[in-house]
Amino acid sequence: MCLSPAQCRAARALLAWSQDDLSSAANVAKATIANFEAGKRAPDERTLQDLKQALEGGGVIFIPENGGGAGVRLAKRANSIDTNETETVQYEEYLENDAPPGAGG
């Protein structure tokens, strides 16, 4: 598994998480996170998995190295509203014509 210190910092930034927030979510000591992100120490594989899973649980997607460098992005929320203004959405409750005859609606 690859999780770089830069990806960890970027993922936290996308989620607006502090090191304390990630520490709580991953059940990993804050000092371990700080040392990892500073490049002072590499955690064991299990700890890296815990960090990555916590960040993914928060909504981050990790992008593997593909020639342009590894990265992170936020997942599109399933309940987000599509703001494509070229489409018209009609909800069932608005489909009935409740306007009086001749009202133009």
Side-chain angles (χ1 to χ4, degrees), residues 6-47:
Q7 282 179 304
C8 191
R9 288 189 307 269
R12 281 193 314 100
L14 285 171
L15 297 173
W17 281 9
S18 66
Q19 288 180 344
D20 285 325
D21 294 330
L22 179 55
S23 174
S24 294
N27 200 24
V28 172
K30 180 183 174 185
T32 299
I33 296 167
N35 287 331
F36 172 57
E37 289 184 350
K40 294 179 181 176
R41 252 178 95 145
D44 62 36
E45 190 66 24
R46 180 67 201 163
T47 301

Side-chain angles (χ1 to χ4, degrees), residues 38-73:
K40 294 179 181 176
R41 252 178 95 145
D44 62 36
E45 190 66 24
R46 180 67 201 163
T47 301
L48 289 173
Q49 286 177 345
D50 291 341
L51 292 171
K52 188 174 179 183
Q53 286 175 353
L55 292 164
E56 288 173 335
V60 169
I61 295 175
F62 288 89
I63 304 166
E65 169 65 50
N66 61 2
V72 296
R73 70 173 174 226

